[in-house]
Amino acid sequence: MVSSEYERRIAARFATFDQDGNGYIDREDFYGAAKALLTEFAVTARSDKGQALYGGAEAFWQGMAGIADRDGDQRITREEFVTGAVKRLRDNPDRFAEIARPFLHAALDVADADGDGAATVEEAGRVLKCLGVPEDLAGPAAAALDTDGDGKVGEAEVVSAFARYFTVPE
């Protein structure tokens, strides 16, 4: 794949993080995603699950900012995302998985109504919709995350899929 095509695909992924559509990624985008998940699943921010989700959002933001915020202004522009974060993460997808893991773990925990450590495919679809996946794609995407066909989506399935999506090869 030519570099310009790769950069076009990655720039499209930028919108996934830019939750408020203001043209840059910042801490509020991560907190906005956390708030949307808590609202969707009727979990309070002050609960243990809510606190873990906000803690995961902060850790994810800090990890992304450390990798991509080249000018230190606490905002990641599309250019910084494409030329900084993605190229570094492409070379080390495990690093991306590790910075995303606390948030993804907490998001699954919020969605996991029966407390068995995994979300149902339906619950995972609701999470994806909260994170900006269009409704008509969220269900099929959640079903695709269930790689072992048990009707559940666990942390290992989500983290590896998330890393693959954002660290597409050039």
Side-chain angles (χ1 to χ4, degrees):
M1 180 183 316
V2 297
S3 184
S4 61
E5 172 65 11
Y6 170 78
E7 289 182 7
R8 184 193 62 75
R9 289 175 60 195
I10 292 304
R13 270 90 166 152
F14 176 87
T16 302
F17 283 110
D18 183 14
Q19 291 280 302
D20 57 15
N22 64 0
Y24 54 85
I25 301 167
D26 63 7
R27 178 179 277 111
E28 294 308 312
D29 291 310
F30 289 85
Y31 285 0
K35 182 178 180 182
L37 285 167
L38 294 176
T39 299
E40 174 67 21
F41 290 95
V43 174
T44 64
R46 292 186 181 200
S47 68
D48 289 344
K49 286 183 177 187
Q51 291 297 297
L53 186 60
Y54 276 109
E58 179 64 23
F60 198 179
W61 161 246
Q62 290 294 328
M64 283 293 290
I67 290 168
D69 184 17
R70 303 310 341 150
D71 60 9
D73 67 353
Q74 296 296 298
R75 300 186 319 181
I76 301 169
T77 64
R78 182 181 306 267
E79 177 71 17
E80 286 174 320
F81 185 77
V82 171
T83 63
V86 173
K87 288 183 181 179
R88 278 189 273 296
L89 295 171
R90 178 188 63 212
D91 296 335
N92 188 359
D94 291 336
R95 171 72 177 129
F96 190 64
E98 288 312 307
I99 66 171
R101 184 179 305 278
F103 178 76
L104 296 172
H105 174 82
L108 282 176
D109 195 35
V110 165
D112 178 14
D114 65 8
D116 68 353
T120 65
V121 169
E122 178 193 345
E123 290 164 341
R126 290 170 61 195
V127 169
L128 292 173
K129 285 191 295 187
C130 286
L131 298 178
V133 175
E135 189 167 349
D136 62 325
L137 299 177
L145 291 172
D146 179 18
T147 57
D148 60 9
D150 68 353
K152 298 281 192 164
V153 178
E155 182 177 327
E157 292 166 313
V158 169
V159 170
S160 65
F162 196 79
R164 279 192 315 273
Y165 180 74
F166 284 101
T167 57
V168 295
E170 190 165 359

